[in-house]
Amino acid sequence: MRAVVATRFGGPDVLEVLDLPEPTVGPGQVKVDVVTAGLNPVDAMMRRGEMGGQAPLRLGTELVGRITEIGPGVTGFTVGEEIIGFGALGSYAETHVLPATQIAPKPAPLDWNVAGGLSGVGQTALTVLDTLALTPGQTLLAHGATGGVGSLLVQLAHRAGIHVIGTASPANHDYLRRLGATPVAYGPGLADRLRTALREGDHPGIDAAVDMSGVWDNIESTLELVPLNRTITLVPATAQRSVPLVRVQRSAARLTHLAALAATGELHAEVQETFPLDDIVRAHTQLDTKHTRGKLVLRIREA
Ligand SMILES: NC(=O)c1ccc[n+]([C@@H]2O[C@H](COP(=O)([O-])OP(=O)(O)OC[C@H]3O[C@@H](n4cnc5c(N)ncnc54)[C@H](OP(=O)(O)O)[C@@H]3O)[C@@H](O)[C@H]2O)c1
């Protein structure tokens, strides 16, 4: 089977598609023919060697596919079933083996490409909302609101009756409005633009903020309006400077909930572009721009 390998740490060109031995299924595991696999910024961090480990290393943490084999002790799943998998290290591959505790059924109407990019970002968005525990009518400031996590966070917050102000480049402002947020451009003068947005929206203030951009300037502007104990970040770079870092909490139950919302169209999961496995260098080059709208997804085989 073919899989992506980072042959050494570095830029996108360290990635190669290699022929590797077919994985075997152990107790509690399932084997999957992978159809799609989402790309996440953490994959680029691993490729650069920022997450430890040693090269060569396999990349990818999430996948969607069909079960081809079931290991001893697994109940509740059948061969041929369509599933979404998370915590599946090395998922940029034609086939993959992972624990049955890390899969959830893929609803049949859910598009394969959308499903491929849903797991990590969706579960992160839900973790952010659980952590901040905002109530209807309160206001959330989200930096990086048009990325993979942000696009889902804005909608989930909006559904919960929370007003969202999101930072994004002007080209993404209409997109952000469609998701349900008030857009504000990042960059110099941000704090003043946030005050204007609050005034125009008749909101008394910002109740909590989340940084998904990793840009310290955004935090500095935030702290003019939001107390530090109501500000969190998802990015280690900004956490190093005293803002609490929140890590994704994943579960099959959480993923099942997200998949149901996406399947019925209640949650729109934007996929900016899909790539075949052999285009992995181009896919990671786009990932490294940090200006993707929604998700990038590998389309590894036809369903
Ligand atoms: N702690 C955890 O467990 C956890 C889990 C998931 C993700 N993360 C981290 O969270 C971050 C976001 O993840 P993601 O998947 O959403 O990333 P992403 O999809 O790559 O985010 C891209 C978005 O960032 C926006 N952006 C770029 N520069 C910006 C700036 N200066 N101010 C505001 N927005 C800016 C871009 O908007 P424009 O194109 O409009 O500029 C783009 O839409 C990443 O650093 C990721 O590693 C952490």
Side-chain angles (χ1 to χ4, degrees), residues 13 25 99 101 136 156 171 188 191 217 219-220 241 256 261 277 300:
D13 60 356
V25 180
T101 50
L156 290 165
D217 286 355
I219 300 276
E220 266 182 351
R241 301 173 67 173
T256 301
L261 290 177
L277 202 58
I300 293 169

Side-chain angles (χ1 to χ4, degrees), residues 124 144 146-149 169 172 186 212 218 234 246 248 290-292:
T124 305
T146 50
V149 180
S169 61
N172 272 328
Y186 52 78
M212 298 169 283
N218 286 337
L234 295 177
V246 168
V248 57
K290 299 186 176 176
H291 288 291
T292 297

